Amino acid sequence: MKDDKRYNKPFSHPRWHEPIGGKVVGYKKLSEEEQKKVHEDALAVLKSMGIKIKNDEDVSHEKEEK
């Protein structure tokens, strides 16, 4: 009975705050062309969801490589 009162707000139970577990089951190195295509596809999905991208060059991975 006490637990019911303590977690009466939506998403207040600790099960909603447990870290999501996961593990990598494989890895594939992408070529430069594939990486650019995946990047463009990801940007298109984000834009379709209404997420505004300030500058496509800001999120590019080319800067990290240099």
Side-chain angles (χ1 to χ4, degrees):
M1 199 64 155
K2 289 182 181 179
D3 289 338
D4 293 339
K5 292 179 182 177
R6 194 166 92 187
Y7 303 123
N8 60 355
K9 293 182 182 178
F11 306 105
S12 62
H13 195 275
R15 73 169 185 250
W16 292 103
H17 304 286
E18 292 177 0
I20 298 173
K23 64 178 183 177
V24 177
V25 294
Y27 178 77
K28 176 184 169 188
K29 184 85 171 155
L30 298 176
S31 69
E32 192 171 324
E33 297 88 24
E34 290 174 324
Q35 190 173 7
K36 286 181 182 179
K37 173 77 169 109
V38 169
H39 180 75
E40 290 170 1
D41 292 345
L43 288 177
V45 169
L46 291 173
K47 287 179 182 178
S48 72
M49 291 171 39
I51 298 173
K52 296 181 181 179
I53 306 296
K54 292 181 183 177
N55 189 355
D56 291 349
E57 295 165 0
D58 289 345
V59 292
S60 177
H61 296 288
E62 293 174 4
K63 290 182 179 180
E64 293 176 5
E65 294 175 0
K66 292 183 180 178

